[in-house]
Amino acid sequence: MKLLRYGPPGAEKPGMLDAEGAIRDLSGIIDDLSGAALSREGLARLAALDPASLPRIEGQPRLGIPFAGTRNFVCIGLNYADHAAETGAQVPKEPIVFLKSLSALCGPTDDIIVPPGSRHTDWETELAIVIGSVTTRVSEAQALDHVAGYAVANDVSERDWQNNRGGAWDKGKGFDTFGPLGPWLVTKDEVPDPQALDIFLDLDGQRMQDGNTRTMIFGVRTLISYVSQFFTLHPGDVISTGTPPGVGFGRKPQLFLRPGQTLRFGIAGLGEQQHRTIGVD
């Protein structure tokens, strides 16, 4: 299934895509795509529905974050050896874990705000793991049992704040709109191998990132197990698994985002996002 939330910010309704790509309204079935709706049992109930029996939404409404209830937005740093090399960093011996602000979350077509005074805002297309059940100290063998599905993410980063302004990476990672997710949550039954997915990003029509999740240093099972040793994950929590090479920071000469540009990025089978970059006073 491809599950989503549509409507104005703060007033999104749950929905699913039918076989023709039309949005079908789920608000008569569930309150939201959160909590128990993301569990194995909750997803099975939704999968048993006939989409044709649900109201069809006409037009092209805004898509929001495709699920709700996120408590932890976990990111993994330097999880592709070739990305570590392009940034001049050593390959980590264990996953690098940091938390991204929940206020960074935004929908798959919302504008991305280049922070005032920023000259080093960068992109990082990533596979996002969406947790479906309470997850504490699980083994790698059990890890996928706790996954609701996957989504496209981007760990947008302001490199000056991340690297040069003191303290942890979080400073450069948590600006508003720096965590777009979507366009939908693809349930794990449609992703038989999360370590075989092509990833891309285009900036103003020019290909910048072109990678595959098979080159991750630490795979999906490992990351879920590893993170769950340190804190409990809940339904709707996200683990963004790191980015392949091609970020602006690693290019020669370096290239960063400015207002008025278009980002298009996606992952095979999981959909695409497209954003304008804008400035604010």
Side-chain angles (χ1 to χ4, degrees):
M1 286 184 297
K2 293 181 175 64
L3 301 172
L4 53 89
R5 295 166 73 243
Y6 68 95
E12 293 92 345
K13 295 181 179 181
M16 68 165 58
L17 284 190
D18 66 18
E20 286 72 45
I23 297 175
R24 297 288 181 161
D25 180 41
L26 284 171
S27 61
I29 307 297
I30 55 174
D31 292 333
D32 209 344
L33 284 164
S34 62
L38 298 175
S39 68
R40 182 185 307 177
E41 297 76 17
L43 294 175
R45 286 193 291 271
L46 295 180
L49 297 172
D50 177 7
S53 69
L54 302 170
R56 179 186 174 113
I57 305 302
E58 302 299 334
Q60 295 182 318
R62 170 191 173 269
L63 297 182
I65 305 158
F67 48 90
T70 303
R71 300 191 195 185
N72 294 296
F73 189 174
V74 184
C75 290
I76 307 299
L78 302 175
N79 196 30
Y80 289 72
D82 37 11
H83 171 57
E86 73 174 347
T87 63
Q90 292 185 339
V91 173
K93 295 180 180 179
E94 294 188 36
I96 296 172
V97 177
F98 61 94
L99 295 176
K100 200 171 179 87
S101 169
L102 296 182
S103 61
L105 289 167
C106 70
T109 60
D110 293 342
D111 293 340
I112 290 177
I113 299 170
V114 178
S118 170
R119 295 181 298 149
H120 297 94
T121 297
D122 203 351
W123 56 84
E124 294 191 12
T125 310
E126 306 196 358
L127 171 67
I129 307 164
V130 184
I131 299 299
S133 59
V134 175
T135 307
T136 304
R137 294 186 294 277
V138 299
S139 67
E140 291 191 23
Q142 297 173 317
L144 295 188
D145 295 339
H146 295 266
V147 174
Y150 303 92
V152 179
N154 203 301
D155 177 21
V156 184
S157 306
E158 213 297 333
R159 302 298 189 190
D160 185 35
W161 281 94
Q162 176 187 351
N163 297 320
N164 303 321
R165 302 295 291 268
W169 285 1
D170 306 58
K171 286 183 181 180
K173 301 283 192 172
F175 288 98
D176 292 352
T177 73
F178 271 28
L181 285 171
W184 38 70
L185 165 65
V186 180
T187 51
K188 66 180 178 181
D189 58 291
E190 293 196 11
V191 187
D193 185 0
Q195 306 301 159
L197 303 175
D198 290 330
I199 301 178
F200 80 93
L201 179 140
D202 293 344
L203 174 62
D204 291 336
Q206 181 179 353
R207 184 60 45 97
M208 297 292 170
Q209 288 189 283
D210 191 0
N212 189 285
T213 57
R214 65 174 171 267
T215 64
M216 283 184 189
I217 299 167
F218 306 104
V220 167
R221 290 178 180 271
T222 298
L223 293 176
I224 296 167
S225 176
Y226 186 86
V227 171
S228 76
Q229 307 305 311
F230 301 103
F231 48 86
T232 297
L233 297 166
H234 298 270
D237 283 358
V238 173
I239 302 175
S240 198
T241 58
T243 197
V247 300
F249 180 74
R251 300 180 73 86
K252 293 181 176 55
Q254 292 181 337
L255 180 66
F256 297 109
L257 296 173
R258 62 183 187 278
Q261 295 183 292
T262 299
L263 280 172
R264 185 176 73 91
F265 52 89
I267 300 177
L270 303 186
E272 297 183 4
Q273 300 187 29
Q274 182 162 308
H275 303 265
R276 292 185 311 149
T277 56
I278 64 169
V280 293
D281 295 330

